[in-house]
Amino acid sequence: MASSNALFLLCNILCFSLSFFFFFSVSFSEILLFPLTHSLSKTQFNTTHHLLKSTSARSLARFHRHSNNGNNHHQVSLPLSPGSDYTLSLTVGTNPPQPVSLYMDTGSDLVWFPCSPFECILCEGKYEPSSTPPPPKIPKNSTVKCKSPACTAAHSSHSSSDLCAMARCPLESIEISDCASFSCPPFYYAYADGSFIAQLHKHSLSVPTSSSPSLVLKDFTFGCAHTALGEPIGVAGFGRGLLSLPAQLATVSPHLGNHFSYCLVAHSFDTEKVRRPSPLILGRYDEKEKRVGDNRAEFTYTPMLDNPKHPYLYSIGLAGVTVGKKNVPAPAFLKSVDRKGNGGMAVDSGTTFTMLPTSLYDSVVAEFDRRVGRAHERAGEVEDATGLTPCYYYDKAIEVPVVALHFVGNKSSVVLPKRNYLYEFLDGGDGGLRKKRRVGCLMLMNGGDEKELSGGPGATLGNYQQQGFEVVYDLENRRVGFARRQCSLLWDSLTKL
């Protein structure tokens, strides 16, 4: 008996030590560092005009999906824009580990991906099955139960009784609230040009780290899609919802889940350009380390605003825009969010171009055109072909005024580098019909008037304007921060820490 007790005590000590080591290594590690990759499909976009037109159209469609979509935001999801496809890689399961590639998206709050067997309808040109790793196989016994809070979160406002009925739970089980043996029913997401149906699962997810071994989340909740229309790649939702990747990571390690940032390496719409990885950083590092790669970088913070209709969004207040020396005040509804979810500006890694309401957009463009239009010819044909305006022809160089965004809060102005709001490319030369000319286009878009934007944010800060900044999401202190960076140098520096 004594030997049995000794063995039991020894086992407890070892188990406690191992669990403490695991908890310590997860909770107090400095950071988790991911490489975000960015690529463009040569088969999907064969000209710059085509890519810009498609990107501007989908940026606008994604922006309008935030508004006028009823009370259940999960039933109408948000399309990612081509040109905004920053992806990260994870692995599912452990025997064997199966890789998945996901879009990183702060504008949604669910992690989902294709699962085997998988059928994608109308996905030609979006991916090549023969050269893409097969979708992972997920055990059928890993489905989430209909009474789970995760199931309610995936279906938004549905009650547990509604979900049990959808899962064909017998009436007597519903009446006694006993649906433990019934799985959460499938849910449907609709995009601007695609859709999918997914089942909710819990399974192990491996997060790569800068040191070995990987962090394994044993009971990670995700959507598993076997059928999709035009959507062959999954999404890693980084929004403020219960099922987002940071939220689930925070249940294991608040240090890692309550603070994350990314720094998007500047990209062009050139399919031939080789791109460095953009660092995605989970966790907090001190002020001295925050200046790694750029000693001049200081963060400008603005408070997060709560949106009762779209609680998953990172909403902030926009006070105005400066064009050159002229300050253009933002309309009042952009500075806050009301009880119906109207107003504010969403910070969204999954939208390419910044969207402004018509009144503010028109004032910004008028001042921009007043400064630039007197020296350069408007490129009307390019505007029609790309969906961007204004565009200008130029010869040697184009002089444009400095553009700055002013967020709500003290000392919360962000000056944009020229490449973040003016895209310069070579136009013409198509079969000899037009001579080649240099052209520059303003990369801000008209999101519509205030009435069109009811029920959602009044503006969106797109990832094109976030390039070259480290954007910090500090959930503990409820704020978003911006600091100028050389993102490729930041990646190199962090990998050496």
Side-chain angles (χ1 to χ4, degrees):
M1 179 66 71
S3 60
S4 297
N5 289 336
L7 184 61
F8 178 78
L9 179 62
L10 178 61
C11 179
N12 274 307
I13 292 174
L14 288 174
C15 290
F16 175 80
S17 299
L18 288 172
S19 64
F20 176 79
F21 173 77
F22 176 77
F23 178 79
F24 182 88
S25 65
V26 171
S27 299
F28 298 100
S29 59
E30 290 297 319
I31 59 172
L32 293 182
L33 182 62
F34 294 81
L36 293 176
T37 59
H38 182 272
S39 62
L40 294 171
S41 169
K42 295 180 182 180
T43 57
Q44 195 174 0
F45 306 109
N46 50 17
T47 67
T48 300
H49 292 105
H50 181 204
L51 174 58
L52 291 173
K53 183 72 171 181
S54 179
T55 302
S56 60
R58 293 194 71 183
S59 292
L60 185 62
R62 179 176 169 91
F63 177 56
H64 281 278
R65 287 286 180 175
H66 286 297
S67 305
N68 298 315
N69 61 1
N71 294 321
N72 189 347
H73 77 267
H74 287 287
Q75 301 309 304
V76 184
S77 191
L78 309 171
L80 291 168
S81 299
S84 64
D85 50 349
Y86 290 92
T87 58
L88 65 146
S89 296
L90 305 170
T91 56
V92 183
T94 56
N95 191 23
Q98 303 170 87
V100 290
S101 181
L102 308 171
Y103 292 126
M104 185 266 179
D105 183 22
T106 61
S108 60
D109 61 350
L110 174 73
V111 177
W112 77 270
F113 47 82
C115 297
S116 180
F118 178 66
E119 179 186 15
C120 194
I121 304 166
L122 299 179
C123 286
E124 292 78 6
K126 292 191 174 183
Y127 86 124
E128 181 53 54
S130 61
S131 59
T132 303
K137 296 180 179 179
I138 306 300
K140 292 182 179 180
N141 62 1
S142 65
T143 54
V144 170
K145 303 306 179 185
C146 66
K147 288 187 67 176
S148 166
C151 183
T152 305
H155 287 271
S156 190
S157 60
H158 285 120
S159 69
S160 60
S161 295
D162 291 336
L163 294 175
C164 287
M166 292 168 63
R168 300 187 182 278
C169 183
L171 179 59
E172 59 269 22
S173 296
I174 297 176
E175 291 296 333
I176 61 174
S177 300
D178 182 20
C179 296
S181 61
F182 291 84
S183 298
C184 180
F187 52 90
Y188 168 72
Y189 270 36
Y191 290 81
D193 61 353
S195 59
F196 69 90
I197 293 177
Q199 189 89 37
L200 210 59
H201 286 258
K202 272 191 176 183
H203 199 38
S204 63
L205 183 80
S206 298
V207 180
T209 64
S210 53
S211 60
S212 184
S214 296
L215 170 62
V216 179
L217 303 174
K218 291 185 177 180
D219 292 313
F220 190 84
T221 303
F222 57 88
C224 189
H226 295 286
T227 307
L229 174 65
E231 296 296 337
I233 298 177
V235 173
F238 269 68
R240 299 173 73 181
L242 178 69
L243 299 180
S244 73
L245 195 150
Q248 294 195 62
L249 183 58
T251 62
V252 177
S253 173
H255 168 77
L256 295 175
N258 289 334
H259 191 283
F260 70 91
S261 64
Y262 53 75
C263 194
L264 304 180
V265 174
H267 70 265
S268 69
F269 291 98
D270 179 5
T271 56
E272 302 295 333
K273 185 175 180 180
V274 177
R275 295 167 180 84
R276 301 286 299 281
S278 298
L280 168 62
I281 307 152
L282 300 184
R284 185 192 304 271
Y285 51 115
D286 64 31
E287 288 298 323
K288 186 178 295 185
E289 288 177 322
K290 280 182 179 178
R291 300 186 179 195
V292 169
D294 187 352
N295 290 328
R296 299 170 299 168
E298 293 186 3
F299 279 86
T300 293
Y301 289 102
T302 184
M304 289 182 188
L305 305 176
D306 292 326
N307 188 315
K309 187 173 181 181
H310 306 282
Y312 58 97
L313 289 178
Y314 294 103
S315 296
I316 59 176
L318 181 67
V321 181
T322 293
V323 182
K325 295 183 179 180
K326 183 177 177 61
N327 179 48
V328 183
F333 75 97
L334 290 186
K335 300 175 184 178
S336 61
V337 180
D338 66 20
R339 294 180 180 179
K340 296 181 180 179
N342 300 303
M345 173 181 250
V347 185
D348 187 5
S349 69
T351 295
T352 307
F353 301 137
T354 290
M355 314 297 299
L356 300 175
T358 298
S359 58
L360 179 59
Y361 173 82
D362 286 347
S363 298
V364 168
V365 166
E367 180 61 21
F368 192 86
D369 188 59
R370 188 182 72 81
R371 299 282 300 274
V372 181
R374 62 191 178 192
H376 300 281
E377 175 191 354
R378 284 284 288 266
E381 291 185 1
V382 176
E383 293 175 358
D384 293 339
T386 62
L388 299 172
T389 184
C391 296
Y392 304 91
Y393 291 117
Y394 66 95
D395 295 322
K396 294 182 179 179
I398 182 170
E399 295 294 329
V400 295
V402 173
V403 174
L405 304 177
H406 306 288
F407 301 115
V408 171
N410 295 326
K411 298 180 180 179
S412 57
S413 297
V414 174
V415 178
L416 298 177
K418 177 181 174 181
R419 68 186 179 195
N420 282 34
Y421 60 91
L422 188 81
Y423 181 57
E424 301 175 70
F425 61 101
L426 199 61
D427 175 60
D430 45 356
L433 299 177
R434 289 185 297 161
K435 66 177 183 179
K436 290 185 178 181
R437 299 184 67 181
R438 293 190 178 113
V439 66
C441 294
L442 182 66
M443 304 295 266
L444 303 175
M445 290 191 65
N446 183 352
D449 62 37
E450 185 173 350
K451 291 182 180 179
E452 292 181 81
L453 305 177
S454 63
T460 291
L461 181 63
N463 68 49
Y464 202 88
Q465 282 64 48
Q466 297 177 42
Q467 295 176 104
F469 287 88
E470 183 178 1
V471 183
V472 171
Y473 298 79
D474 184 351
L475 283 83
E476 184 177 359
N477 295 305
R478 296 172 53 82
R479 61 184 184 172
V480 178
F482 305 88
R484 283 291 299 274
R485 293 287 201 215
Q486 290 181 298
C487 297
S488 58
L489 293 181
L490 178 63
W491 170 262
D492 293 340
S493 300
L494 289 172
T495 53
K496 295 175 183 178
L497 289 179

